[in-house]
Amino acid sequence: MSQIQLWTLIFIGASFAVYLYIAWRSRVKETAGFYVAGQGIPTIANGAAVAADWMSAASFISMAGLIAFLGSDGSIYLMGWTGGYVLLALLIAPYLRKWGKFTVPEFVGDRYSELVRTVAAVAAIIISFTYVVGQMRGGGIVFSRFLGLDVTGGVIVAAVIIGLYAVLGGMKGITWTQVAQYSVLIVAYLIPAVAVAQQMTGIPIPQVSFGQILDELNAISLELGMAQFTDAFAARPQIDVFLVTMSLMIGTAGLPHVIVRFYTTKSVRGARYSAFWALLFIALLYTTAPAVGAFTKLNLLQGVNGVSADALPAWVDNWAATGLVTIGDGVTTIGSVSNNPASGADLIVNNDILVLASPEIAGLPAPIVGLVAAGGLAAAMSTAAGLLLVISSSFSHDLYFRRVKRDSTDKQRLLAGRIAMGLAVLISIYAGINPPAFVAQVVAFAFGLAAASFFPVIVLGIFWKRCNSAGAAAGMITGMVFTATYMIYTLPVFGTAANPHILDISPEGIGTIGAVVNFIVTIVVSKMTAPPRDEIAEMVENIRYPSERRPVAAGNVTGTP
């Protein structure tokens, strides 16, 4: 066993022991504890849990890699995900928290009808499943390199661990586990970033110092057949940059697994403050990612430029064993590098390895490499657990309880939810082994589906009293089907061949168009059909104020200040 594998086992073993202990101590027997942690999570802790839920394997493992190869175009992920969080925190979360329900489908069910609740529950399951596939893939990549497994074995191990503690603890266990996971992932991300910044520039502040190496990075990128790092719109058309950024923003504001986090606080005020803390915690990683991408890419290119195939750095052989780095047939000297297997470059490097490989590429000590591996798993596991909980709650609370067995007990609903979790884990193992794209791109597809389904009906449900059940159902179904159809058309999924993008719109950006379609259909159908009942309009008016203005229908809206 190598030093890297030993330290990886130590850090992963220690962190897993903590996560499982927390999940066991926090296990619950009632639905309120399972779905919203009894609404008793302190503000700062909830902020850290939101940040961990937010910063998935896409943020930790894949985003800096995409930035490294996309250059400035990679800013779409930074702008989309952080901008969307602000939109969610200010425009949606406090109002839904005041409504006082467990799930997003439950909100739209009370706001519109049982039909819309069912549509929303199905949409939540599809979105969450798409998202969790990226997390399974991220976990598989970590295990494949550092524990000597192939990607298939890595995905299976990650899925078993994630499913175990998610089923045990529900939202209460997941929340406190995510606080621990945030601590692990942010330390694991910042320590190597600071070390590499000091090593390459003499300034241990990566957010500031990476600008010093951009000219050198641009020059060597051109030499190896790649676009300059600082070139705008080199990797994708300008219209698609806008559409992807917008899709990520409004998709973020409609993600059910993040919205439900704001139900776990003690009050609406607590939801707002936890949003502030979460944004601060998120910014620590998101402001560091561009520096990690730039430093790692420069180190990588300098290490392989003009080097013979049999004299490449050790990290190339280490990652080649996983199948995520490949050397072209018959290559004697590296003269071109790419992340695209179809490019014919001498060296093909999968984006998803760059953060995990960064300490090795920079020659940092084995303990730091092991710490980064533990951080990558923490990121994947924290988000996957939250997504599995959404799948569980949508199935047991919004489908099983509402549509199948209205007289089911708490015990029966918990069992149904845990069975749904288990099935989701099993299905996502296959999809994690055979993903349609890089981790961050798969996650972006989930955001596009959320943008096209949830965002319009939630915003209109809060701010437009005339919006009704027929409009919401028609809008959600139309937006979801339109967006999913385009994604399937342009991606090699379900055995289909990938087709060219229409009007330069990528599958990551189609969610914006889907949201526009949803808005139009919802508004038109609502105008053409009967308005909602007076008590619904009264409830909508009341949730937009800090405290209750007048009595409302009992049991529908809480007046917590």
Side-chain angles (χ1 to χ4, degrees):
M1 178 181 293
S2 68
Q3 284 289 310
I4 288 176
Q5 288 179 320
L6 175 62
W7 280 104
T8 300
L9 281 173
I10 291 172
F11 280 114
I12 290 179
S15 58
F16 276 13
V18 172
Y19 305 154
L20 292 174
Y21 174 75
I22 292 172
W24 177 257
R25 287 298 303 269
S26 304
R27 64 192 187 281
V28 295
K29 297 181 180 179
E30 71 286 342
T31 52
F34 192 79
Y35 294 131
V36 293
Q39 294 187 329
I41 303 299
T43 299
I44 297 179
N46 198 59
V50 170
D53 217 354
W54 189 269
M55 294 187 293
S56 65
S59 295
F60 189 100
I61 293 175
S62 191
M63 183 170 64
L66 280 173
I67 291 171
F69 283 100
L70 290 176
S72 64
D73 289 356
S75 62
I76 57 177
Y77 295 95
L78 298 170
M79 294 186 295
W81 281 330
T82 52
Y85 177 79
V86 175
L87 192 64
L88 167 63
L90 297 179
L91 190 65
I92 292 177
Y95 302 107
L96 294 192
R97 174 62 181 81
K98 189 180 179 188
W99 194 277
K101 298 299 178 180
F102 282 6
T103 67
V104 174
E106 192 169 25
F107 162 75
V108 298
D110 283 359
R111 170 61 178 84
Y112 298 111
S113 68
E114 287 300 310
L115 171 63
V116 184
R117 182 198 302 271
T118 301
V119 173
V122 173
I125 291 171
I126 294 172
I127 292 164
S128 299
F129 176 77
T130 304
Y131 203 154
V132 85
V133 166
Q135 314 316 307
M136 297 302 183
R137 178 67 175 180
I141 290 171
V142 175
F143 281 118
S144 66
R145 164 63 187 94
F146 297 111
L147 299 184
L149 301 173
D150 58 14
V151 174
T152 298
V155 169
I156 292 172
V157 172
V160 169
I161 297 294
I162 291 167
L164 179 61
Y165 78 81
V167 169
L168 277 178
M171 180 60 84
K172 186 177 180 182
I174 288 171
T175 297
W176 288 109
T177 301
Q178 285 175 333
V179 173
Q181 286 167 333
Y182 175 78
S183 303
V184 172
L185 75 86
I186 198 64
V187 169
Y189 204 85
L190 292 179
I191 286 180
V194 170
V196 173
Q198 174 66 33
Q199 181 187 79
M200 298 184 71
T201 68
I203 303 174
I205 307 174
Q207 298 90 336
V208 174
S209 58
F210 84 100
Q212 297 184 18
I213 56 100
L214 293 183
D215 288 341
E216 187 177 2
L217 178 56
N218 284 336
I220 196 171
S221 294
L222 289 175
E223 187 178 342
L224 286 164
M226 309 171 77
Q228 293 191 92
F229 187 82
T230 56
D231 277 354
F233 314 122
R236 62 176 73 223
Q238 186 172 356
I239 181 63
D240 194 48
V241 170
F242 168 77
L243 291 175
V244 174
T245 303
M246 182 60 69
S247 179
L248 294 176
M249 285 184 65
I250 61 178
T252 294
L255 277 178
H257 82 287
V258 176
I259 290 175
V260 75
R261 275 268 160 241
F262 295 95
Y263 289 84
T264 63
T265 59
K266 298 177 181 179
S267 65
V268 175
R269 182 186 297 272
R272 293 182 186 274
Y273 276 102
S274 66
F276 163 77
W277 283 108
L279 187 58
L280 177 63
F281 294 143
I282 290 167
L284 290 176
L285 188 145
Y286 272 57
T287 56
T288 309
V292 172
F295 285 137
T296 304
K297 185 178 182 182
L298 180 58
N299 269 330
L300 185 160
L301 298 183
Q302 286 178 334
V304 303
N305 184 25
V307 176
S308 62
D310 58 358
L312 288 168
W315 70 265
V316 175
D317 289 335
N318 292 337
W319 282 97
T322 69
L324 299 173
V325 172
T326 55
I327 303 170
D329 293 337
V331 170
T332 56
T333 301
I334 303 300
S336 58
V337 178
S338 175
N339 67 333
N340 180 10
S343 66
D346 298 333
L347 184 68
I348 307 296
V349 180
N350 188 298
N351 314 320
D352 292 340
I353 76 163
L354 283 200
V355 170
L356 297 172
S358 177
E360 288 181 89
I361 295 172
L364 297 180
I368 294 182
V369 179
L371 179 62
V372 171
L377 284 178
M381 292 168 64
S382 61
T383 301
L387 293 166
L388 289 173
L389 193 69
V390 169
I391 293 171
S392 169
S393 62
S394 296
F395 177 80
S396 68
H397 193 70
D398 299 303
L399 293 179
Y400 176 73
F401 173 59
R402 293 285 179 173
R403 290 294 187 181
V404 179
K405 192 172 182 179
R406 291 301 300 263
D407 60 347
S408 58
T409 64
D410 266 11
K411 184 177 180 180
Q412 289 172 324
R413 276 180 275 167
L414 283 175
L415 177 61
R418 283 168 170 154
I419 291 173
M421 269 191 190
L423 291 174
V425 169
L426 292 176
I427 298 171
S428 64
I429 288 174
Y430 173 80
I433 294 169
N434 303 282
F438 297 120
V439 171
Q441 291 174 309
V442 173
V443 169
F445 303 152
F447 280 72
L449 293 171
S453 56
F454 280 118
F455 181 76
V457 297
I458 292 175
V459 170
L460 292 175
I462 294 171
F463 296 102
W464 189 40
K465 291 185 286 186
R466 183 63 175 78
C467 190
N468 65 14
S469 171
M476 287 189 73
I477 293 171
T478 305
M480 190 81 167
V481 170
F482 170 83
T483 303
T485 300
Y486 186 84
M487 288 179 177
I488 293 171
Y489 173 79
T490 54
L491 290 168
V493 295
F494 303 131
T496 63
N499 291 292
H501 297 170
I502 299 173
L503 300 177
D504 291 326
I505 301 173
S506 69
E508 300 102 303
I510 194 63
T512 301
I513 308 299
V516 172
V517 170
N518 187 335
F519 269 115
I520 292 172
V521 170
T522 302
I523 292 171
V524 170
V525 174
S526 293
K527 285 287 190 180
M528 294 175 63
T529 52
R533 304 187 309 273
D534 290 342
E535 59 266 28
I536 295 294
E538 180 68 16
M539 287 191 295
V540 172
E541 186 171 353
N542 272 271
I543 67 169
R544 297 204 299 262
Y545 294 89
S547 59
E548 289 193 37
R549 300 168 60 247
R550 58 179 70 93
V552 297
N556 285 300
V557 181
T558 64
T560 309

